[in-house]
Amino acid sequence: MAEPATTPAAPPVDFRTDPSRYRHWKLTIEGRVATLGMDVREDGGLRPGYDLKLNSYDLGVDVELADAVQRLRFEHPEVGAVIVTSLKERVFCAGANIRMLSQSGHGWKVNFCKFTNETRNAIEEAGALSGQRYLAAVNGPCAGGGYELALATDWIVMADDGNTSVSLPEVPLLAVLPGTGGLTRLVDKRHVRRDRADVFCTLEEGIKGRRAVEWGLVDAIVPRSRLADAARERAAHLAEQSDRPASARGIALTPVDRTIDGDRIAYRHVTCVVDRGRGVAEIVVAGPEASPPADVGGLHALGAAFWPLALARELDDLILHLRCNEEGIGLWAFRTTGRADLVTAHDRLLAEHSGDWLAREIRLLWRRVLKRLDVSSRSVFALMEPGSCFAGSLFELALAADRSYMLDGTRQGDPAPAATVRLGEPSFGWFPMVNGLTRLESRFLGEPHRVDELKRRIGEDLDARAAADAGLVTFTPDDIDWEDEVRIAIEERAAFSPDALTGMEASLRFAGPETVESKIFARLSAWQNWIFQRPNAVGERGALRVYGTGQRPEFDRRRA
Amino acid sequence: MAEPATTPAAPPVDFRTDPSRYRHWKLTIEGRVATLGMDVREDGGLRPGYDLKLNSYDLGVDVELADAVQRLRFEHPEVGAVIVTSLKERVFCAGANIRMLSQSGHGWKVNFCKFTNETRNAIEEAGALSGQRYLAAVNGPCAGGGYELALATDWIVMADDGNTSVSLPEVPLLAVLPGTGGLTRLVDKRHVRRDRADVFCTLEEGIKGRRAVEWGLVDAIVPRSRLADAARERAAHLAEQSDRPASARGIALTPVDRTIDGDRIAYRHVTCVVDRGRGVAEIVVAGPEASPPADVGGLHALGAAFWPLALARELDDLILHLRCNEEGIGLWAFRTTGRADLVTAHDRLLAEHSGDWLAREIRLLWRRVLKRLDVSSRSVFALMEPGSCFAGSLFELALAADRSYMLDGTRQGDPAPAATVRLGEPSFGWFPMVNGLTRLESRFLGEPHRVDELKRRIGEDLDARAAADAGLVTFTPDDIDWEDEVRIAIEERAAFSPDALTGMEASLRFAGPETVESKIFARLSAWQNWIFQRPNAVGERGALRVYGTGQRPEFDRRRA
C-alpha cells in the first residue's frame, strides 16, 4: 500500500491562536450565554489540496475550536452555557473533510483524530466540572464529525424541517468509523439501543424529526423558526444553574511565548532539545522562581503569568507541537529543576482556594494537559537527577511516565544535592486519568492501601531509597551506573518498533476501570487506526480514496 | 504491502477433536487433580512450512487445548484443579510459532489470536465459576504466548534455576504485542505496576527468580527438584476447596455429528446454508423435539444428547467453522424453528437443578458460546418469521444480534402462526457478556427499569407489536414488506466494507463497563490488529517477517 507523505510538505502546525485570528468560528457573548458559530472558510484549509465545503473541517478548524473552548473557561467566568451552531444557511456541519483525510498519511489522520477527540472531551469536561454547559443547535444537515461535535454537548436541539438530519455515514460512505467518539457516545453516553445504533450507523442519509428524538439521537426537535429561541432559552436555563460567578472578570490568555531555534524549543518555564539522532526530546520543566502571591487576589492579578497556569499552557503547546511536528521523536524524557518548597507553595494556594473559579480552572487545565500526555503515542521517561524538583504537581509528570530513573545520591564533583521527590495533595485526586483513577491509584491497583499510606507522607522529601521502597520510582542507579543505564535504556527504546511501543503503552497505562473517554482512546481509536491501515479504506480502490471521484470502492470481502 | 494468502491452501480447519487424537497434549488425571502436559510435536503443525520447536504452538495445538479444557469440565466432575506444565525437558513454552505467524495472512493471525484468547478465558472461567482451578508449573523458559497461558491460570509456580524465566519478548523481538491477553492480564489481573510492566515487556530475556515474585509476575519460585511437588500440593489444596462432586460420574462428549455437503452444513439441531453470492450464512436453529427428562437423573442419562448441550456444542462448532473457514461470509442470519414450550421446559429443568454440576456446566457452555458469537467479526441478524421459536434461551440469539426483523402477523397462504417471542429466565443473568452485563442490561443501559419490567413478563408470548413496544426487536415489517425489507438489509450489509463493519460492531456491542475479558477483545486486540497491519511488523523488512533470517528489521520511526 502506498503511504502518502504523512504531512504534505508544509510548515509546522502552530496550535497557538486567538479569536482575532479565527477564520472559521465566531465567538459571541451575550450575558451568561456564549455562541460558537461555525462558519468554515472554504479556502481556509491548513494545507492545500482541498476545499472546506459545507462546514467540513480540518485540523486548523479544530485548533480554533480548542482555543475558543479554552478561552471561554479562563476569559469568561460569567459564561455558564455555550451554544454551538452553524452560521451557514443550509448546513450545520458535514464533518471532517474527506479529501483532506484521503490525501493525508496515516500518522496525520491518527493525530488529527486524537486532537479532535481531546477537544470534544474538553467540551464535556466544561459541562461536568466547570459549570459551563454546551448545547448544540442543529440548523441543517449534521453529518459524521458534525454530529460527533453535537454528541459532545449536553443537549442537542434540531430543526424539524425537511433539510435537517443527524447522521453518521462513515461506515456506508467512507468505510471508516465515526471515530471522534461517535460510536462510543451513541451507546455509552446517550444510551442509544445497540440495534438502533447499528441501523443509524449504516444509514447514509441519517435520521430526522421525531424518530431522532425517539431513538435518543437528539434531545428535542423544534420548527426551524423556533430553533434559535429554543437554544437560547435552554442555554439561559443552564447558565442560571451554573456555579460560575456572573460578575467575575476573566483573565486574558496572553500568547504563549515560544522560540524555536534549530532543535531547541524554549518557553518561559519549559525547554526542549530535540535529539534527532537518538530520537529523544529532552524536556526540562522549571519550577517557580518566586513564592506565589499571598492571596487569591494576587493570583488573579498575575493571571496567565501565574506559574502553574503559565507552565500548563507551555507544556500543552509543547506536547501538541511534538506530537504533530516531530513524529520521528519517539521518546520524551522529562527532567525538572527548581525548588520543591516553591512548587508546593503554589499547590497550596490552589488548594486553599479550590472554591475560586480561576483556581479551579487552573487545576482542570493541568488535568487536561496530563491526560494529553497519557494518551500521546510517545514513550515517556522521567529522569530524576541531583537538583531536580519532582515535587507536588510536578511529581505528577513522573507518575505519568512509563518508567522513571532516580539517581541515588550525589554526583561526584557536583554540588547539587541528591534528588528527592515530594508527594503533594495534587497526586491524590486533582488529576484523574481518562480511566477515572488517579495515577497513584492506577499504579497501585492491586495495593490500594499503599495510596492511603502515601497520603500520610505528603510533604516528605524522599530520597532514592525511600522513593523506591514506596514504589514511586522504577530504578535508582548511583552516579557510577547512571550514565550507562539511562543511555542504554534510551537507545533500546529507540531501537524498538514505534508501533509496538504505541500499542504496548496504550495497554499498560490504563489499568482498571474504563470510561467513555478511555473507551474512545482505546477501543474506538484503536479500531479506527486499524481501519485507517486497511486497503478497503485507504488502498488504491479503497472507499476513502475513491470518494468523490465517481468510482466505486472495491472491497476485499474477507472478514478479519 | 503484499498480503499473503490468508490461509495457505489447505483443507478447512476442523475444531472437533478428542484425547485419542491429541498430538501435542497429554491429559492425565490422578484423583481430583488433572495435569495437562504440553509436548508439542515439532512436525505436527496444522499447515506446512514451519516446525513447532520448543513447545511453540499454532492453531492446531490450541484446538487440542480448548478441547481438553472443555472435556475436563464435562467428563471429569471430580477434577478440582488442573496443572498446566511442559513435558519437555528444557522448555515450558516458547509461545506462538513465529514462522507460522510470519507466513500467515492478516485474517488468519487475527482469527488465531481470537481463538487462543477464548481458550484462555475459558481457563479462567473454569476457576471462577466451575470449581476447576488451573495452575501453571513453569519448568523451563516460558516466553510470550507461553507466559500468557500461565497468566490465564490462577497460580504460577516457577522453577528457580538458571534456565527458567518468564518473558514477553514480543515488542523487542517481533514488533508486535503480547496480544493473547498478556498486556491486559499483567496490569489488570496481576496488578503488576505499570512501570515494571513497561520494563518487563521490553526485556527480551525476561525475568527469573526472586524478582519475578517481587514484581508479581509469578506467585512462587521453588527449586527445580521441588517444582512438581509444589504444584501437586497446591493443586490438591485447591481441589479440596472445590465444590465439584468428587464421586460424580462425568458424561462423554461424544463427537459432534456434522455433514458438509457443498454449501450446506448440517448438524442434528442446526443447519446452515452458505450463500456465497449474497455473503450470508443462513442459519436455522431447531428447538427440542420432545419434552426434557423429568428429573436431573434423566438429564445425566441423556448426557451429550440433552438438547441444550447438544445444541450449544453444534453452535460452537458452526461459529468456529464459519469464522475460520468462511471468511468471505460477512453476515450470519439466525432463524429458529420449534416449540416455545419445549424450549422453556428445558430451561426450567436447568433452572431447577442449578446446584447440579452438569446443569451448571451446560449453562456455562451456553454462556461461552454466546460470548463467542458476540466477539465474532461478523454481522448478526435475527429473522423472526411465522413458525419461529425465539423463546427462552433461544431468544438470547436475538439479543446477541446486531439487529432483528420480526414479521408482523402471518404470511398469506401460510398456515404457520404469527411469530412471537418469549422471554425466559436465561436472559436475566445466565449469560453475561464479556462486559459483565446481560444482553438485556446492555441493551437498556439507559433505562434499567425496563429490564425489571421485562422480568415480570417472563413466559408471555409477545407478538411483533408487543415485542417492538418492549424494545426487544428492531423492525416489524408485515408480510407485504418483509421480503423486500430483509433482502435490501442483507444486500446493503454485503455492500459495506467488512473492516468498517467489524470496527463498528465491536464498538456498539459492548456498552457499559469493561472487564479484563472485554479489554482483551477491545483495547488489546484492536491494537494488535493494527500492528499486524503495519509495515514495521509485517512489511518486507518488518520484524515479524525477517525474524530468524539473520536480517535486521527496518522501522519507519514515525510514531502514529
Side-chain angles (χ1 to χ4, degrees):
Chain A
M1 184 179 60
E3 168 86 344
T6 290
T7 55
V13 177
D14 195 335
F15 290 82
R16 299 170 303 169
T17 188
D18 64 70
S20 74
R21 291 188 285 165
Y22 291 176
R23 310 175 74 190
H24 308 295
W25 293 91
K26 198 171 153 201
L27 176 58
T28 52
I29 292 167
E30 286 182 74
R32 303 207 67 186
V33 174
T35 300
L36 260 171
M38 190 175 199
D39 192 10
V40 177
R41 270 183 64 164
E42 283 198 16
D43 63 352
L46 191 63
R47 297 284 187 255
Y50 51 86
D51 294 327
L52 295 175
K53 290 186 181 164
L54 299 170
N55 261 359
S56 63
Y57 62 86
D58 69 355
L59 181 61
V61 176
D62 225 67
V63 165
E64 292 182 7
L65 174 61
D67 182 76
V69 169
Q70 182 101 304
R71 284 181 195 280
L72 279 165
R73 304 279 284 271
F74 283 95
E75 302 192 342
H76 299 283
E78 79 281 11
V79 169
V82 184
I83 300 167
V84 178
T85 194
S86 164
L87 301 182
K88 302 236 188 267
E89 197 50 44
R90 295 190 54 76
V91 67
F92 177 80
C93 168
N97 187 274
I98 299 167
R99 282 187 67 84
M100 176 279 292
L101 283 177
S102 74
Q103 74 183 49
S104 300
H106 186 70
W108 182 269
K109 284 200 281 286
V110 170
N111 193 58
F112 165 70
C113 290
K114 188 169 286 175
F115 181 78
T116 54
N117 269 316
E118 289 169 324
T119 306
R120 278 133 200 83
N121 291 344
I123 285 174
E124 272 178 348
E125 192 213 62
L129 300 176
S130 188
Q132 205 167 60
R133 305 283 295 279
Y134 279 71
L135 50 151
V138 177
N139 54 347
C142 173
Y147 180 49
E148 290 178 304
L149 175 60
L151 280 171
T153 70
D154 294 337
W155 193 73
I156 307 173
V157 58
M158 179 166 75
D160 188 15
D161 58 24
N163 180 43
T164 302
S165 64
V166 291
S167 65
L168 289 176
E170 284 86 346
V171 170
L173 212 56
L174 305 169
V176 300
L177 300 183
T180 314
L183 295 177
T184 307
R185 287 203 174 88
L186 266 192
V187 293
D188 268 301
K189 179 183 181 181
R190 298 196 62 95
H191 299 140
V192 175
R193 234 172 60 197
R194 59 171 280 203
D195 57 337
R196 288 171 165 175
D198 180 271
V199 172
F200 175 61
C201 295
T202 53
L203 212 56
E204 201 176 307
E205 67 273 25
I207 290 183
K208 63 179 79 166
R210 198 180 309 268
R211 183 179 253 191
V213 179
E214 195 186 311
W215 284 25
L217 303 169
V218 305
D219 295 285
I221 49 170
V222 294
R224 182 71 172 82
S225 58
R226 276 273 304 139
L227 185 70
D229 283 345
R232 266 196 300 269
E233 284 159 20
R234 180 79 183 189
H237 173 71
L238 290 173
E240 257 171 49
Q241 301 173 320
S242 171
D243 64 356
R244 293 174 73 86
S247 56
R249 260 185 58 198
I251 62 148
L253 291 182
T254 51
V256 170
D257 195 22
R258 181 184 78 189
T259 55
I260 300 185
D261 182 9
D263 291 335
R264 187 183 154 81
I265 306 157
Y267 303 85
R268 177 91 178 76
H269 306 287
V270 181
T271 57
C272 172
V273 175
V274 176
D275 183 337
R276 289 176 209 289
R278 293 157 71 229
V280 192
E282 307 266 12
I283 301 166
V284 181
V285 175
E289 284 153 12
S291 296
D295 55 29
V296 75
L299 189 167
H300 282 254
L302 278 174
F306 182 56
W307 173 79
L309 176 54
L311 174 58
R313 294 180 68 212
E314 293 175 4
L315 274 175
D316 207 31
D317 185 72
L318 179 64
I319 293 168
L320 290 171
H321 172 77
L322 292 175
R323 266 185 2 191
C324 187
N325 301 315
E326 296 286 359
E327 293 175 287
I329 306 302
L331 173 61
W332 297 346
F334 279 92
R335 290 180 175 81
T336 53
T337 62
R339 283 171 49 191
D341 58 328
L342 294 180
V343 175
T344 50
H346 280 79
D347 289 343
R348 207 174 309 119
L349 184 69
L350 289 173
E352 281 164 3
H353 300 282
S354 61
D356 176 73
W357 73 268
L358 178 56
R360 174 169 77 180
E361 287 305 334
I362 293 169
R363 282 163 57 159
L364 290 174
L365 173 59
W366 263 88
R367 176 184 162 122
R368 295 195 296 281
V369 173
L370 288 162
K371 281 182 178 177
R372 219 195 271 285
L373 182 57
D374 291 333
V375 302
S376 292
S377 56
R378 299 294 190 282
S379 301
V380 178
F381 284 7
L383 302 177
M384 303 154 161
E385 300 173 85
S388 68
C389 182
F390 283 95
S393 45
L394 287 188
F395 186 65
E396 205 67 11
L397 291 171
L399 291 175
D402 295 303
R403 60 171 80 172
S404 55
Y405 292 82
M406 185 168 182
L407 199 152
D408 186 358
T410 56
R411 277 195 168 117
Q412 214 186 354
D414 181 350
T420 56
V421 301
R422 187 193 291 184
L423 281 167
E425 208 186 303
S427 294
F428 295 87
W430 292 17
F431 310 132
M433 305 166 69
V434 291
N435 63 2
L437 300 184
T438 66
R439 285 173 192 77
L440 279 177
E441 286 165 345
S442 287
R443 188 175 185 87
F444 297 117
L445 200 59
E447 306 171 286
H449 60 92
R450 281 219 181 214
V451 179
D452 299 326
E453 286 158 22
L454 286 169
K455 199 164 184 179
R456 290 194 289 273
R457 303 182 73 178
I458 285 179
E460 244 181 79
D461 286 317
L462 308 175
D463 64 14
R465 181 63 160 279
D469 286 346
L472 295 173
V473 297
T474 319
F475 295 114
T476 54
D478 63 14
D479 185 29
I480 295 170
D481 294 329
W482 176 267
E483 287 300 334
D484 272 354
E485 196 165 330
V486 171
R487 180 182 52 74
I488 289 168
I490 290 174
E491 284 171 4
E492 271 184 1
R493 203 76 174 190
F496 298 147
S497 158
D499 307 320
L501 287 174
T502 292
M504 182 189 86
E505 290 154 2
S507 298
L508 296 180
R509 286 176 183 173
F510 307 101
E514 301 269 349
T515 66
V516 168
E517 254 182 87
S518 71
K519 283 176 140 187
I520 287 171
F521 288 116
R523 187 187 282 273
L524 185 58
S525 296
W527 279 115
Q528 180 78 306
N529 291 357
W530 176 69
I531 289 165
F532 277 160
Q533 283 283 290
R534 298 282 286 164
N536 284 340
V538 298
E540 286 305 316
R541 299 301 305 268
L544 204 53
R545 293 285 279 279
V546 305
Y547 181 80
T549 65
Q551 291 181 75
R552 287 172 64 92
E554 277 174 20
F555 295 138
D556 178 341
R557 302 238 58 90
R558 290 176 297 174
R559 278 280 195 133
Chain B
M1 187 179 58
E3 168 88 342
T6 290
T7 56
V13 177
D14 194 336
F15 289 82
R16 299 169 304 169
T17 188
D18 64 71
S20 74
R21 291 189 285 165
Y22 291 176
R23 310 175 74 190
H24 309 294
W25 293 90
K26 198 172 154 200
L27 176 58
T28 52
I29 293 167
E30 285 182 75
R32 302 207 68 187
V33 173
T35 300
L36 259 171
M38 191 175 198
D39 192 11
V40 177
R41 269 183 65 162
E42 284 198 15
D43 63 352
L46 192 63
R47 297 283 187 254
Y50 51 86
D51 294 328
L52 295 175
K53 290 185 181 164
L54 299 172
N55 262 358
S56 63
Y57 61 86
D58 69 354
L59 181 61
V61 176
D62 224 67
V63 165
E64 292 182 6
L65 175 61
D67 183 76
V69 170
Q70 182 99 304
R71 283 180 196 280
L72 279 165
R73 304 279 284 270
F74 284 96
E75 303 191 340
H76 299 284
E78 79 282 10
V79 168
V82 184
I83 300 168
V84 179
T85 193
S86 163
L87 300 184
K88 302 236 187 269
E89 198 49 45
R90 295 191 52 78
V91 67
F92 178 80
C93 169
N97 186 274
I98 299 168
R99 283 188 65 86
M100 175 278 292
L101 283 177
S102 74
Q103 74 184 49
S104 300
H106 185 70
W108 182 270
K109 282 200 281 286
V110 170
N111 194 59
F112 166 69
C113 290
K114 188 169 287 175
F115 182 77
T116 54
N117 269 316
E118 290 169 324
T119 305
R120 279 134 199 82
N121 292 344
I123 285 174
E124 272 177 350
E125 192 212 63
L129 300 176
S130 188
Q132 205 166 61
R133 305 281 296 277
Y134 279 71
L135 50 151
V138 177
N139 54 345
C142 173
Y147 180 49
E148 290 178 304
L149 175 59
L151 280 171
T153 70
D154 294 336
W155 193 73
I156 307 172
V157 59
M158 179 166 75
D160 188 16
D161 59 23
N163 180 43
T164 302
S165 63
V166 292
S167 64
L168 290 177
E170 284 87 344
V171 170
L173 212 57
L174 305 169
V176 299
L177 300 183
T180 314
L183 295 177
T184 308
R185 287 202 174 88
L186 266 192
V187 293
D188 269 301
K189 179 183 181 181
R190 298 195 63 94
H191 299 141
V192 175
R193 234 172 60 196
R194 58 170 280 201
D195 57 337
R196 289 172 165 174
D198 179 272
V199 172
F200 175 62
C201 295
T202 54
L203 212 57
E204 202 176 308
E205 68 272 25
I207 290 182
K208 63 179 79 164
R210 198 181 309 267
R211 182 180 252 193
V213 179
E214 195 186 312
W215 285 24
L217 303 170
V218 306
D219 295 285
I221 48 171
V222 295
R224 183 71 171 84
S225 58
R226 275 272 306 138
L227 185 69
D229 283 346
R232 266 196 300 269
E233 284 158 21
R234 179 80 182 189
H237 173 71
L238 290 172
E240 257 173 49
Q241 300 173 321
S242 171
D243 65 356
R244 293 174 73 85
S247 56
R249 259 185 59 199
I251 62 150
L253 291 182
T254 52
V256 170
D257 195 23
R258 181 183 77 187
T259 55
I260 299 184
D261 182 8
D263 291 334
R264 188 184 155 83
I265 306 157
Y267 303 84
R268 177 91 179 77
H269 306 286
V270 181
T271 57
C272 171
V273 175
V274 176
D275 183 338
R276 291 177 208 288
R278 295 157 71 228
V280 192
E282 307 263 12
I283 301 166
V284 181
V285 175
E289 283 152 11
S291 296
D295 54 29
V296 74
L299 189 166
H300 282 254
L302 278 175
F306 182 56
W307 173 79
L309 175 54
L311 175 58
R313 293 180 69 212
E314 293 175 6
L315 273 175
D316 207 31
D317 185 71
L318 178 63
I319 292 169
L320 291 171
H321 171 78
L322 291 175
R323 264 181 8 187
C324 186
N325 301 315
E326 296 285 359
E327 293 175 288
I329 306 302
L331 173 61
W332 297 346
F334 279 92
R335 289 180 175 82
T336 54
T337 62
R339 283 171 49 190
D341 58 328
L342 294 180
V343 175
T344 50
H346 280 78
D347 290 343
R348 206 174 309 119
L349 184 68
L350 289 173
E352 281 165 4
H353 300 282
S354 61
D356 176 72
W357 74 267
L358 178 56
R360 175 170 77 179
E361 287 305 336
I362 293 169
R363 282 163 57 159
L364 290 174
L365 174 59
W366 263 88
R367 176 185 161 120
R368 295 196 294 281
V369 173
L370 287 163
K371 280 182 179 177
R372 219 196 271 286
L373 181 58
D374 291 333
V375 302
S376 292
S377 56
R378 298 296 190 280
S379 301
V380 178
F381 285 6
L383 302 176
M384 303 154 160
E385 299 174 85
S388 68
C389 181
F390 283 96
S393 46
L394 288 188
F395 185 65
E396 205 67 12
L397 291 172
L399 291 175
D402 295 303
R403 60 171 80 172
S404 56
Y405 292 82
M406 184 169 184
L407 199 153
D408 186 359
T410 56
R411 277 192 167 118
Q412 216 186 352
D414 179 351
T420 55
V421 300
R422 188 194 289 184
L423 281 167
E425 208 187 305
S427 294
F428 296 87
W430 291 18
F431 310 131
M433 305 166 67
V434 290
N435 63 1
L437 301 184
T438 67
R439 285 173 191 78
L440 279 177
E441 286 165 346
S442 288
R443 189 175 186 85
F444 298 117
L445 200 60
E447 307 171 287
H449 60 92
R450 281 217 182 215
V451 179
D452 299 326
E453 286 158 21
L454 286 169
K455 197 163 185 181
R456 290 194 289 274
R457 303 182 72 178
I458 285 178
E460 245 180 77
D461 286 317
L462 308 175
D463 64 14
R465 180 63 158 279
D469 286 347
L472 294 173
V473 297
T474 319
F475 295 113
T476 54
D478 62 14
D479 184 29
I480 296 169
D481 294 329
W482 176 267
E483 287 300 334
D484 272 356
E485 196 166 329
V486 171
R487 179 182 53 74
I488 289 168
I490 289 173
E491 285 172 4
E492 271 184 1
R493 203 75 174 191
F496 298 148
S497 158
D499 307 319
L501 287 174
T502 292
M504 181 188 87
E505 289 154 3
S507 298
L508 296 180
R509 287 176 182 172
F510 306 100
E514 301 268 351
T515 66
V516 168
E517 254 183 88
S518 71
K519 282 176 143 188
I520 287 171
F521 288 116
R523 186 188 284 273
L524 184 59
S525 296
W527 279 116
Q528 180 77 307
N529 291 357
W530 176 70
I531 288 164
F532 277 160
Q533 283 283 290
R534 298 281 287 165
N536 284 339
V538 298
E540 286 305 318
R541 300 299 305 268
L544 203 52
R545 293 285 279 280
V546 305
Y547 181 80
T549 64
Q551 291 181 72
R552 286 172 64 92
E554 277 173 21
F555 294 139
D556 178 342
R557 301 237 59 89
R558 290 176 296 174
R559 278 281 194 133

